[in-house]
Amino acid sequence: MANLMSRLAGAEKTTQMTRRGFLVSMTATGVAFGFPQASDAAMNPEVPDGTPITPNGQAFEPSIWYWIDADNRVNVNIIRAEMGQHVGTAIARILADELEVPWENVHITHVDTADKWGLMVTGGSWSVWQSWPVYRQAGAAGRTALIEAAAAKWGVDATTLSARDGMISDGTQSITYGELVADGIDRSFTEEELAALPLKPHADLRLVGQDVHPLDLDTKTTGQAIYGLDAKVDGMVYGVPMLPPTRYGSVVNSVDDSGAKNVRGYLETVVLDDPSGTVPGWVVVLGQSLHAARTASYAIDVDWTAGDTADVSEDDIQARARELIDGDAGSILHTEQPDTSAAFDAAADTLEAEYTTQSVLHFQMEPVNATVFQNADGIWETHSGNQWQSLILPTLATALEVPADKIVMRSYMLGGGFGRRLNGDYIVPAALAAKAVGKPVKLVFSREEDSQFDSIRSPSVQKMRMAFDEAQAVTGMEHHAAAGWPTQVMVPGFMPNGVNEEPYDPFAIDGADHWYTVGAHRVRAISNDLANQTFRPGWLRSVGPGWTNFAVESFMDEAAHKVGADPLQFRLDHLTAEGINAGSAPNAVGGASRQAAVLRRVAEMSGYGTTELPDGSAIGIATTFGQSRTMPTWTAAAVQLAVDADTGNVSVDKIWLAIDCGTVVDPDGARAQCEGAVLWGLSMALHEGTRIEDGNVIDLNLGAYTPLRLADVPELEIEFVESTEVPVGLGEPGTTVVAPAIGNAIFNATGARVRHLPITGDAVLAALKG
């Protein structure tokens, strides 16, 4: 293999280059870009050409998560994907704070796949939450070992020494970490010793909660950050896919490429043989350039036999959901009292409602792509942006028919993820094509192909029921939800069993098991088998809570109005921190009382119930708890909007958000995450939604699929509750609370109740007409 470390001439000057200038220089000089040696990580976000950071001289590694070298540099290993959220900066500061090193000495490396890293996944808003205890322990281990080394060197009691800013001191003399490392440190820790290490008191944290310069910011802002689309290797050919008529079950009968043979640079067309079953019926067109492969694909005729879902529509999928809900299929979740029969048998009154959501696409900025080849050592290398390396690695092993240890995944920055790149299925066809032709293949999807192959958010149907006694007190509640299940399709081992011993997909029902005290509470999660057969359901930012919270918070609003209660007070009355809703350490201390607190706060921020607004305008509220009961991020929103009486169109003027996420690790990143989440939620509430026809989504580009536009962005006011509790996730919670707040505001403004997402003007007019 030719040298994969080819450099740009004058590389030392590239820090001032724009992305356009960088790419022009690449084109002009014909440089092969950016792959490090097999033993090195693919992405160093601080260096334009991806050169790995290596220690100077002796290095000390108190744990696998970082090393310190003789120059006092600290390099932190990051297993999370970078897709704009500065995840490496957030995690590195956790370690640096506990280790007691200056921020300017800290660097990060996004590591390649290896068994030692354990589960490599970036999703579920888990990254900071899961990293908090691990990197704090790792930092404490290094600080402890360095203090012990200085004590031994000076012959003093270690308890008389302190660590600060990368130095150990006894008050009269000091020594740098680098000097101690240069002398050599041999200290390791067992898991028990790590768990027993004393951590800094919260009041002594000096980087956590403070604004610092993001470690990957400079290369992003100069356009020099490395993404999957930037990958290039000598001898590489380009591929474009030709997708079959159905996601599953299609078979290639014949390929006629005679019309492509006059296309300059066209090489060949490969029919993929996929032992993993990931891309059945796929054809990949190869060319010396991407343009050649793409142009050739237009001149190639493929005859397919379609799979069984070729005639399936969105209406069919939703009809199947209602059929399943009316039956007894599904898993019953572990609520405090899941048997609601007595409550409804004795009810003086009941309330029922159905809520539905359409299919939703990811439309991340960078279409999916992957470059795959077998290196000189016989190792298969994949080069791509990916959110869940541990998920796709076994699938790649099956597809390539090699052991998993013969594959290494080199990760790049993601030009948008939002859950799409949790499913690394797009790497499989690149790998199969590379194996078929015996050379590196870079497979690049067009926007249309990306959309057709998307792991979409499934459409859903939810049936809600509530029982009341003669005093109009709530005595029982039921939530039945049917949708396609991504976890069932892609990683069934992640599915726990319900009380009836049936497994369920937590990512398709989280949020339904809410923190309200409602008496008997039955939550039934139902897998829509027709949805699973038609497309590959995916995890899209907020996943199940994007529809379950819409139903719960709209229904709570409906229940309040039914009994003549104020919707704010009705919620607060049922957010009682008792029994299963009392909360527990370490992640849910305080339970429902913390959710009630953010709800009160957002009401105060927005003037809910006290602000005079014109006719057709109103404020609506909603509250959620992020992604799951095991990692609740207490969230409340208020939305002020206006409804056009003639068109039904909704314009959102302002959104308030109050969040209790425990300790805020990265203030600027936290705010940015929440701003993005709120706008994503607004987009899905009012604008985003496609439909399934003939087994595929009908919207393949942004001409028809119209997410939120800049002109429709409202004023945002976001407030974080000060807390010393464990930090929990922020990537998704702000998304889930917006749609129900909008629906509730529409009702307050017009008296019309909308129960479907997205909320269109026509739907509002129809609701107004009753």
Side-chain angles (χ1 to χ4, degrees), residues 573-587:
D573 289 344
H574 292 89
L575 285 170
T576 54
E578 301 172 352
I580 197 173
N581 296 325
S584 59
N587 305 318

Side-chain angles (χ1 to χ4, degrees), residues 318-590:
Q318 297 295 66
R320 177 58 176 159
R322 293 185 177 93
E323 179 184 348
L324 290 164
I325 288 173
D326 289 342
D328 58 4
S331 177
I332 310 301
L333 269 64
H334 295 266
T335 56
E336 198 159 36
Q337 174 49 272
D339 186 353
T340 56
S341 54
F344 279 90
D345 288 345
D349 200 357
T350 61
L351 174 66
E352 294 191 9
E354 180 187 271
Y355 299 88
T356 57
T357 62
Q358 274 179 232
S359 299
V360 180
L361 293 159
H362 287 87
F363 267 111
Q364 71 288 341
M365 183 177 293
E366 178 194 14
V368 292
N369 61 87
T371 302
V372 182
F373 62 92
Q374 190 173 28
N375 67 27
D377 296 324
I379 301 296
W380 285 94
E381 295 193 25
T382 77
H383 294 254
S384 184
N386 181 251
Q387 290 179 246
W388 195 346
Q389 299 92 324
S390 298
L391 175 64
I392 198 61
L393 188 56
T395 304
L396 283 166
T398 300
L400 290 169
E401 299 179 294
V402 299
D405 61 8
K406 295 297 182 183
I407 302 171
V408 61
M409 299 183 66
R410 308 204 185 284
S411 297
Y412 290 74
M413 288 191 186
L414 282 57
F418 312 117
R420 172 58 184 101
R421 287 180 164 93
L422 283 165
N423 176 14
D425 51 0
Y426 49 90
I427 305 174
V428 173
L432 292 171
K435 182 178 181 180
V437 299
K439 60 182 68 174
V441 171
K442 179 173 185 173
L443 186 70
V444 179
F445 289 64
S446 68
R447 177 66 69 196
E448 291 79 7
E449 291 154 356
D450 186 22
S451 300
Q452 185 178 336
F453 190 51
D454 194 9
S455 297
I456 66 173
R457 190 181 84 173
S458 173
S460 72
V461 175
Q462 299 173 86
K463 181 178 180 180
M464 311 292 292
R465 299 179 70 210
M466 187 171 281
F468 305 88
D469 65 15
E470 292 182 353
Q472 294 188 319
V474 178
T475 58
M477 183 173 177
E478 292 183 354
H479 190 153
H480 309 266
W485 282 7
T487 311
Q488 180 182 28
V489 172
M490 288 186 272
V491 56
F494 269 46
M495 297 203 303
N497 286 339
V499 297
N500 58 347
E501 295 303 317
E502 290 293 326
Y504 66 91
D505 182 350
F507 299 101
I509 198 63
D510 276 344
D513 52 344
H514 54 68
W515 293 78
Y516 291 115
T517 297
V518 290
H521 184 201
R522 186 177 184 85
V523 177
R524 182 164 61 116
I526 305 165
S527 173
N528 189 327
D529 50 2
L530 184 59
N532 294 345
Q533 294 159 16
T534 304
F535 54 88
R536 178 168 283 194
W539 302 279
L540 181 143
R541 190 174 189 175
S542 80
V543 206
W547 66 77
T548 60
N549 286 336
F550 172 62
V552 168
E553 282 300 292
S554 297
F555 194 60
M556 289 298 288
D557 219 67
E558 292 200 55
H561 287 289
K562 178 178 176 61
V563 300
D566 172 71
L568 171 62
Q569 192 58 50
F570 183 79
R571 287 175 171 84
L572 293 173
D573 289 344
H574 292 89
L575 285 170
T576 54
E578 301 172 352
I580 197 173
N581 296 325
S584 59
N587 305 318
V589 173

Side-chain angles (χ1 to χ4, degrees), residues 45-406:
E46 300 172 70
V47 180
D49 66 358
T51 305
I53 297 173
T54 55
N56 178 27
Q58 186 86 3
F60 172 47
E61 295 186 68
S63 81
I64 63 172
W65 301 111
Y66 68 106
W67 52 252
I68 309 169
D69 73 2
D71 289 339
N72 251 15
R73 293 187 307 168
V74 178
N75 182 72
V76 185
N77 294 320
I78 306 295
I79 65 171
R80 312 294 178 174
E82 173 52 39
M83 45 193 162
Q85 78 280 39
H86 300 307
V87 66
T89 291
I91 292 172
R93 83 163 73 203
I94 295 170
L95 185 140
D97 206 330
E98 196 69 52
L99 181 60
E100 273 291 354
V101 292
W103 185 244
E104 58 268 22
N105 290 3
V106 179
H107 307 269
I108 56 176
T109 295
H110 289 261
V111 298
D112 302 328
T113 52
D115 288 343
K116 67 181 180 179
W117 304 121
L119 182 66
M120 298 183 74
V121 58
T122 311
S125 301
W126 291 345
S127 294
V128 168
W129 169 58
Q130 291 184 345
S131 300
W132 176 256
V134 174
Y135 283 82
R136 287 198 76 185
Q137 285 181 348
R143 175 167 44 82
T144 299
L146 289 158
I147 288 174
E148 290 175 351
K153 184 180 182 70
W154 293 335
V156 300
D157 185 344
T159 60
T160 66
L161 305 182
S162 62
R164 186 74 176 247
D165 291 331
M167 302 182 72
I168 308 296
S169 175
D170 65 358
T172 60
Q173 59 183 335
S174 61
I175 188 170
T176 68
Y177 288 1
E179 291 174 294
L180 290 167
V181 169
D183 288 342
I185 301 177
D186 183 16
R187 177 71 160 94
S188 61
F189 296 82
T190 66
E191 289 189 19
E192 292 76 16
E193 287 174 326
L194 281 173
L197 287 174
L199 303 179
K200 293 169 60 174
H202 198 279
D204 291 345
L205 295 174
R206 298 186 300 115
L207 290 174
V208 167
Q210 304 302 313
D211 286 323
V212 300
H213 186 75
L215 299 174
D216 56 7
L217 181 64
D218 295 343
T219 54
K220 287 178 181 175
T221 54
T222 59
Q224 295 167 282
I226 302 173
Y227 296 84
L229 279 173
D230 295 321
K232 187 175 180 181
V233 62
D234 288 347
M236 180 180 76
V237 299
Y238 291 82
V240 299
M242 296 185 69
L243 302 189
T246 56
R247 180 65 179 80
Y248 299 107
S250 293
V251 176
V252 176
N253 299 318
S254 63
V255 176
D256 180 2
D257 70 342
S258 57
K261 291 185 177 179
N262 292 327
V263 175
R264 184 176 180 181
Y266 168 65
L267 296 173
E268 61 180 303
T269 298
V270 178
V271 178
L272 300 184
D273 177 17
D274 181 10
S276 74
T278 305
V279 286
W282 273 50
V283 172
V284 171
V285 181
L286 300 173
Q288 293 174 344
S289 67
L290 181 59
H291 176 73
R294 176 69 60 200
T295 302
S297 71
Y298 300 142
I300 295 172
D301 291 322
V302 181
D303 177 59
W304 280 284
T305 296
D308 295 337
T309 59
D311 297 324
V312 172
S313 70
E314 183 118 343
D315 289 341
D316 295 332
I317 293 170
Q318 297 295 66
R320 177 58 176 159
R322 293 185 177 93
E323 179 184 348
L324 290 164
I325 288 173
D326 289 342
D328 58 4
S331 177
I332 310 301
L333 269 64
H334 295 266
T335 56
E336 198 159 36
Q337 174 49 272
D339 186 353
T340 56
S341 54
F344 279 90
D345 288 345
D349 200 357
T350 61
L351 174 66
E352 294 191 9
E354 180 187 271
Y355 299 88
T356 57
T357 62
Q358 274 179 232
S359 299
V360 180
L361 293 159
H362 287 87
F363 267 111
Q364 71 288 341
M365 183 177 293
E366 178 194 14
V368 292
N369 61 87
T371 302
V372 182
F373 62 92
Q374 190 173 28
N375 67 27
D377 296 324
I379 301 296
W380 285 94
E381 295 193 25
T382 77
H383 294 254
S384 184
N386 181 251
Q387 290 179 246
W388 195 346
Q389 299 92 324
S390 298
L391 175 64
I392 198 61
L393 188 56
T395 304
L396 283 166
T398 300
L400 290 169
E401 299 179 294
V402 299
D405 61 8
K406 295 297 182 183

